[in-house]
Amino acid sequence: MAHIEHLTERIPQVSPDELLAGFHPSYRFGVVSFDTFRPDPAQPSQTEAVEALRAFAEGIGHSKKSLLGRIFGAKSPQAKAGIYLDGGFGVGKTHLLASLWHAVPGPKAFGTFVEYTNLVGALSFRKTVEVLSGYNLVCIDEFELDDPGDTVLMSRLMRELSDAGVKLAATSNTLPGSLGEGRFAAVDFQREIQVLADQFDVLRIDGDDFRHRGLPEAPRPVDDDVLESTATELYADKVLASDDFGELVKHLSKVHPSRYRQLVEDIDILVLHQVRTITEQSLALRFVVLADRLYDKDVPVVASGQPFNELFTEEMMAGGYQKKYSRAVSRLTALAREGQQAEVSI
């Protein structure tokens, strides 16, 4: 019999050590490799990216700077500390980044952009630099700048890690020199943005969103009066989180985004009652983080109400955060489709 939990009753506490221990690829990308990546034959940039990343991985962990070099920040003026995967959402960037992480000897870290900013908040900037400077590789998934504070912080962090000999790898939907555009007065922070851009060689990865290639549209929402009974029948002996969508959105404002991974860590299925359009941007951005954590853990979603392509307002989908929202809709659609496939298989 399914066990039912409620995310709205959870407020997880996470220590700094627990945060650091979580800096590895998610369950979804736990065993991927360059060999498991399947490049689209129509997109040669995907094959080129695999070859470039293989070469990048081979040079990591064997040529860390000497202690003297770390102290004085000496490095070749031509050398770039990192590699930056630029491309649309769903083209396999995270798969490739996780493959790089698996291919490189430790110590190493893998996390999303927001997880690194949260780590700085938990440890302090100086302690974060101290810890990560001892790593061979730092992977930053979904790199994006949402405000001036993040711009200054990540510019400093990337520069100091580069000076310490740490190799960097990042993914984003935006070229490094264009980070922050449409979100704040990025022109006022061009120096910091340029410092970020200077740390990376850019690899462009072209392609369509793999989650929608040849697949049907997202399933129609389930009628709310049979939603929970349908989910418990489909997912017997699983742990279900069953929550009212509006209440869950409000609850997210009480939990720091750095804890969303722990919020859903033992949940097998998410049941959402009465999904509706989020109209407040701060709440919408928090739900984007939750969608990322659900996707990381491969948690199928069974929902009533509006379909996920109506989750955000038209203004949001056309505004400065449109790439974040599009990624969230894409990922939630994939998770909802998994829920539908479970229904078909019964």
Side-chain angles (χ1 to χ4, degrees):
M1 183 176 180
H3 176 71
I4 299 177
E5 296 275 342
H6 303 287
L7 298 185
T8 51
E9 296 177 356
R10 297 180 168 197
I11 302 183
Q13 303 298 316
V14 185
S15 70
D17 286 343
E18 289 172 321
L19 283 178
L20 281 168
F23 275 76
H24 56 76
S26 67
Y27 166 81
R28 182 179 287 271
F29 298 104
V31 294
V32 299
S33 68
F34 294 129
D35 291 334
T36 64
F37 184 77
R38 297 289 178 262
D40 184 345
Q43 305 291 349
S45 63
Q46 294 185 12
T47 299
E48 292 166 4
V50 172
E51 295 172 352
L53 286 168
R54 284 186 188 274
F56 187 71
E58 290 173 0
I60 299 177
H62 310 293
S63 58
K64 287 284 297 248
K65 289 183 184 175
S66 67
L67 177 61
L68 197 61
R70 289 196 195 188
I71 293 173
F72 292 103
K75 62 180 178 180
S76 166
Q78 287 79 34
K80 292 290 182 78
I83 199 161
Y84 188 103
L85 308 182
D86 169 59
F89 56 86
V91 298
K93 300 188 304 296
T94 299
H95 185 142
L96 288 172
L97 188 67
S99 299
L100 174 66
W101 187 90
H102 287 297
V104 170
K108 52 195 174 182
F110 183 106
T112 63
F113 176 84
V114 71
E115 287 176 311
Y116 284 102
T117 58
N118 291 335
L119 183 66
V120 172
L123 297 184
S124 80
F125 180 83
R126 187 48 49 199
K127 182 63 175 178
T128 301
V129 171
E130 178 184 332
V131 171
L132 297 183
S133 289
Y135 285 25
N136 291 330
L137 173 69
V138 168
C139 294
I140 309 141
D141 200 18
E142 299 158 17
F143 203 115
E144 192 52 272
L145 299 178
D146 292 337
D147 60 58
D150 284 348
T151 303
V152 175
L153 185 152
M154 293 305 286
S155 172
R156 289 182 58 201
L157 182 61
M158 295 300 97
R159 184 180 66 248
E160 295 207 24
L161 293 181
S162 173
D163 287 346
V166 180
K167 292 299 183 181
L168 310 170
T171 71
S172 183
N173 299 315
T174 306
L175 285 167
S178 301
L179 289 165
E181 286 183 359
R183 294 158 177 80
F184 58 93
V187 66
D188 296 335
F189 294 86
Q190 223 29 79
R191 178 181 177 278
E192 287 80 5
I193 291 171
Q194 190 59 49
V195 168
L196 277 170
D198 287 346
Q199 309 305 318
F200 297 99
D201 285 318
V202 177
L203 284 179
R204 173 67 189 179
I205 303 177
D206 301 304
D208 300 323
D209 183 345
F210 78 91
R211 289 181 292 273
H212 291 162
R213 290 175 194 163
L215 296 173
E217 294 295 321
R220 294 178 59 185
V222 179
D223 290 340
D224 194 68
D225 56 353
V226 297
L227 178 64
E228 196 161 294
S229 62
T230 298
T232 55
E233 180 180 350
L234 295 177
Y235 297 101
D237 302 321
K238 300 292 185 179
V239 178
L240 276 64
S242 180
D243 288 277
D244 175 79
F245 179 79
E247 292 301 315
L248 178 58
V249 170
K250 291 179 183 177
H251 184 68
L252 292 179
S253 65
K254 302 175 184 176
V255 180
H256 195 276
S258 66
R259 303 174 184 176
Y260 289 3
R261 191 182 302 279
Q262 285 73 25
L263 186 69
V264 301
E265 65 178 350
D266 59 348
I267 297 301
D268 297 316
I269 311 296
L270 177 60
V271 179
L272 287 177
H273 292 266
Q274 299 293 356
V275 172
R276 49 191 178 273
T277 303
I278 303 173
T279 58
E280 186 176 335
Q281 185 133 270
S282 62
L283 297 178
L285 290 171
R286 283 178 175 268
F287 203 84
V288 167
V289 178
L290 179 65
D292 288 340
R293 301 292 79 78
L294 292 169
Y295 186 76
D296 287 346
K297 194 175 180 295
D298 196 13
V299 178
V301 176
V302 181
S304 65
Q306 296 174 242
F308 286 118
N309 62 352
E310 299 177 9
L311 185 59
F312 307 111
T313 67
E314 291 183 6
E315 291 78 12
M316 290 177 183
M317 294 299 292
Y321 299 104
Q322 59 179 294
K323 292 179 180 178
K324 282 180 177 287
Y325 294 136
S326 294
R327 184 184 74 237
V329 169
S330 178
R331 290 183 166 184
L332 289 167
T333 296
L335 296 177
R337 188 178 294 121
E338 288 183 28
Q340 182 189 55
Q341 289 170 345
E343 183 174 3
V344 169
S345 67
I346 292 298

